[in-house]
Amino acid sequence: EMAMAFDDLDAEISYLMNAMEEQPEDLHEVEFRLRQMISGMRAEGLPVPESLIDLEAELDRLLSKKR
């Protein structure tokens, strides 16, 4: 079960990173999904991978440029 959760997480991270590159107009949607994922992990008491924290910081940087 835990392996499946990590596979799902891996797939979601891949999707979000791809969306950032392929659909920069959808960055707000990517940000929303990423924050949901991080909140869900914290709510379940799971450690948030450094790669997600970095991705969140990169999104913040990209979105602040667009404003």
Side-chain angles (χ1 to χ4, degrees):
E1 168 133 338
M2 189 64 116
M4 192 172 101
F6 282 115
D7 287 345
D8 292 345
L9 179 63
D10 232 18
E12 184 70 10
I13 293 169
S14 293
Y15 167 80
L16 292 174
M17 292 182 74
N18 187 54
M20 282 176 64
E21 293 173 12
E22 303 291 322
Q23 302 163 325
E25 67 278 4
D26 291 344
L27 285 179
H28 287 286
E29 174 66 21
V30 173
E31 178 188 37
F32 176 76
R33 289 180 68 167
L34 178 62
R35 290 191 194 284
Q36 273 190 319
M37 189 184 340
I38 290 172
S39 293
M41 292 178 76
R42 288 184 175 140
E44 293 179 34
L46 298 172
V48 178
E50 194 67 35
S51 58
L52 286 185
I53 303 295
D54 294 344
L55 187 58
E56 183 180 36
E58 178 67 8
L59 266 173
D60 287 344
R61 188 183 68 75
L62 290 171
L63 288 168
S64 68
K65 276 187 178 179
K66 293 185 86 171
R67 292 182 183 126

